[in-house]
Structure formats: structure tokens, C-alpha cells
Amino acid sequence: MMPALRLFAPLAVLTHALAALAGPKVVLIIVDGLMPVDVAAMPNLAALAKRGTEAPLKPVFPTQTWPNHTTLISGLLPKNHGIIANRVFLRESSVIHPNSTGPGLDALQIPNLLSRMRDSGRSAGAVLWPLTHGMSGLACNLPEVYVPSDVPKGVVPAADGGELVDLLGEESALLDHFVTDQALACAAGKRPELLAVHYVAVDTARHRGRRDGLRARLARSTVDAEIGRLVTTFGPGTVYVVVSDHGFSTVEQTVDLNRGLSAAGLLNKKV
């Protein structure tokens, strides 16, 4: 069984903080793939935890990034908010399609924390947040997207029609540094009351190596340094909510049902 994750300041605190703070920002940080064991090895995050409130967090099923991100900002389960995976299989075209692109899939169609802030006349921004591609009315928005196969490598169309260099690949630590740069620029230029930030290096390292291996340890140090940059720059007037979307378990054997179905001629799948 996957160990329970920890949430620093429950999301209910967020609404109270926004009501109490007219000008300072509230920063919602998701460290993708963070586990409880990581916190003690992350001094900046540990310092926030010591000053704040901790609570257990159990990820929803399926324990993928985008379903859990959506649950966190909507309060709904995947069966209700409709985001059941990072990518979806479109039976009509036999294509596995990312939720971030395509007709009707560009942005969350349900009320969520970002849209409620916008609709209530308050300002919110998002950096590398899933399913915000095409979401209008945010102070700043740099969405997380999958690179479509017909887009030149290294370039992703951004929501504002510009271009975003895709640094993910093997350089997720560099991407997280870029995320912090964009978060700081958004805060300085747009002054959103709520800023949602998504860091990916820990998750990438654990998917590509051992759960507690050197790559994972280096990644969490990198993310902790980025959190430190935010805390140092924003100062004491900012409220932080730091959370993970899922953890990791060691798996010895997997069964790929789709591969078996494809071999039997029961599934025509194009990636």
C-alpha cells in the first residue's frame, strides 16, 4: 500500500488566507511525486512545515498526475471531474491523446480553484499547471502540455499564441528552475493573489530510476532550492500550501493489458 502523503496546511486554509490578505500572494505548490520521507531532507520545505500545519493526504485513483491535480483544485473525484488519466484513448480514431490538447480538452470544464478566483473577480496565476491550456482570465498562465507529434521538438504552442521551450526531457531540473523564474516574473508583473506552481523533477527522476536512488535525491534537492527561491523572494507575507499529487511504490512486475489486446487484434492503437 502506498504510504500516505503529507499536506502542509490543508486546502481549507487557502480560502481563509485569501479572505484575510488583500494584497500578498498565496502560493500553492505541488511537488510532483513527493513522498513523506523526502521532507526531512529538504530544509526549505521542512522549515515551512515546522511553521505551519501538516495533514495526511491520500491520492485518488488512478494515482496519476493530472487526475490528482484536478481533484486537489476541484474537490471532486475523477469519476466526477472526468480527468481519469494524463492521456486518453479516443476510440473513434484509435489515438492515445493527451488531455492537454484537442477539441474540448484544452482546459478544465468544471469549477475549480483557479476559475472560482477568476469568476469572483480575484486574480490567479498558474505555472506548469495541468489542464489550464486555453483557460482564459488568469493573470498569467504557462500550462503544462504534452508535445504533439507534429510540433518541432523543443517547441510547444503556449496559451497566448507564443512559444514555450520544452525543457522537460532529461532536463526536468532545468525545467523546474524555469518554472520558478516564470513564477517570480508573474508575481512581480501581475501580482496575483493566488499563484499555483507545479514542480516535476522529483516525479521524473523516480519514473526513470529508483524510488530512493541518487537521481531522486538530487531532484528533491533541486526542488527544495527552487522552493527556497520563492520563499526568499516573496518574504514573510506569503502563505504557502505545499502538497504532493502521489507517491511511489516499488513494482517488480507489470502487466500491459493493451499490448495483449493489440496482439490479439482487439485494439488498434496509435500513439
Side-chain angles (χ1 to χ4, degrees):
M1 177 179 294
M2 186 178 296
L5 305 175
R6 294 194 291 179
L7 168 66
F8 303 118
L11 288 181
V13 173
L14 196 59
T15 303
H16 174 77
L18 286 171
L21 301 174
K25 296 165 292 296
V26 172
V27 180
L28 170 61
I29 301 172
I30 284 192
V31 181
D32 209 313
L34 184 74
M35 299 178 66
V37 68
D38 296 320
V39 179
M42 301 173 70
N44 292 310
L45 182 55
L48 286 177
K50 185 176 181 180
R51 299 200 304 266
T53 302
E54 300 180 37
L57 173 70
K58 181 181 292 185
V60 298
F61 179 82
T63 53
Q64 292 190 4
T65 293
W66 289 12
N68 276 278
H69 272 70
T70 306
T71 291
L72 281 164
I73 65 170
S74 70
L76 300 175
L77 294 173
K79 67 178 182 179
N80 301 119
H81 61 57
I83 306 303
I84 59 173
N86 294 344
R87 295 183 290 176
V88 296
F89 177 64
L90 304 179
R91 294 184 180 276
E92 303 79 14
S93 57
S94 298
V95 171
I96 296 178
H97 212 289
N99 269 316
S100 60
T101 57
L105 298 175
D106 286 356
L108 285 179
Q109 304 299 314
I110 57 169
N112 59 82
L113 183 60
L114 297 172
S115 68
R116 288 186 183 280
M117 287 285 293
R118 176 198 63 199
D119 296 343
S120 65
R122 314 195 76 156
S123 59
V127 182
L128 209 69
W129 203 267
L131 295 161
T132 58
H133 187 260
M135 184 178 289
S136 62
L138 298 182
C140 49
N141 183 20
L142 190 66
E144 180 179 49
V145 298
Y146 281 99
V147 183
S149 59
D150 58 346
V151 174
K153 183 175 176 58
V155 177
V156 177
D160 61 0
E163 293 182 344
L164 163 65
V165 177
D166 175 27
L167 301 174
L168 189 53
E170 295 291 338
E171 302 296 338
S172 56
L174 182 58
L175 176 60
D176 279 355
H177 188 80
F178 175 76
V179 164
T180 303
D181 287 344
Q182 297 305 304
L184 295 176
C186 173
K190 302 294 185 178
R191 305 294 296 176
E193 293 178 83
L194 168 68
L195 183 57
V197 180
H198 175 205
Y199 289 120
V200 300
V202 173
D203 177 74
T204 301
R206 285 184 162 140
H207 276 299
R208 296 177 178 173
R210 294 175 56 238
R211 182 182 65 176
D212 302 314
L214 176 61
R215 182 180 291 182
R217 296 196 299 272
L218 291 174
R220 72 187 180 195
S221 295
T222 296
V223 173
D224 190 62
E226 298 307 324
I227 292 173
R229 289 177 64 201
L230 293 179
V231 172
T232 299
T233 303
F234 292 154
T238 298
V239 174
Y240 297 90
V241 179
V242 185
V243 64
S244 177
D245 54 350
H246 61 77
F248 281 81
S249 293
T250 300
V251 176
E252 302 296 339
Q253 184 176 2
T254 62
V255 176
D256 189 338
L257 296 178
N258 285 340
R259 180 171 296 180
L261 292 172
S262 297
L266 300 174
L267 178 65
N268 180 24
K269 182 177 66 173
K270 302 175 184 177
V271 178

